[in-house]
Amino acid sequence: MARILVVDDDIAGLELRKMILQRAGHVVTAAADVDMARSLFHETHPETVLLDLRLPEAADGLALIREFREAVPSVRIVVLSGFTPDLDGHPERAMTDQILNKPLRTEI
């Protein structure tokens, strides 16, 4: 069981991922915007962050990657994005533990 923060501005996708991870036994918090993500990150101390990159702009996701990595170097950061080239040429790419392309096949 892990503490996971899911961040996505697509509410339907956010709720679905939260439900799937909870069913798998994880403690999950969900944030639909950058400010909520920052707040919940510091309140809940997640071990893993599942992060959409465009929130709604790629710069928002890149900023969160930097902030989360600086605050807790051991946090696992998984980027989930339909626009993974947004990471190309950015140092934040090396700060992520895994990059997953949307659409992501989700099995319940």
Side-chain angles (χ1 to χ4, degrees):
M1 178 171 70
R3 288 183 318 278
I4 302 173
L5 172 60
V6 181
V7 184
D8 198 328
D9 58 348
D10 170 15
I11 301 300
L14 179 69
E15 289 302 319
L16 179 63
R17 289 180 188 90
K18 180 180 176 183
M19 179 189 67
I20 290 168
L21 291 167
Q22 285 176 328
R23 282 190 181 176
H26 302 289
V27 176
V28 182
T29 53
D33 61 51
V34 173
D35 291 334
M36 184 183 294
R38 285 182 178 119
S39 177
L40 288 173
F41 182 83
H42 294 290
E43 288 175 25
T44 64
H45 309 286
E47 299 161 283
T48 301
V49 176
L50 179 59
L51 174 70
D52 180 28
L53 194 58
R54 291 189 175 184
L55 297 165
E57 302 297 325
D60 299 318
L62 294 171
L64 287 179
I65 291 169
R66 286 190 309 274
E67 291 172 31
F68 293 166
R69 182 62 68 207
E70 183 177 308
V72 181
S74 63
V75 69
R76 182 170 170 76
I77 299 174
V78 178
V79 171
L80 177 61
S81 178
F83 305 95
T84 56
D86 286 343
L87 283 165
D88 292 346
H90 291 278
E92 292 82 3
R93 183 176 191 88
M95 296 178 198
T96 62
D97 294 285
Q98 189 167 3
I99 301 167
L100 303 174
N101 290 303
K102 283 184 181 179
L104 182 67
R105 183 180 166 101
T106 307
E107 295 181 21
I108 299 177

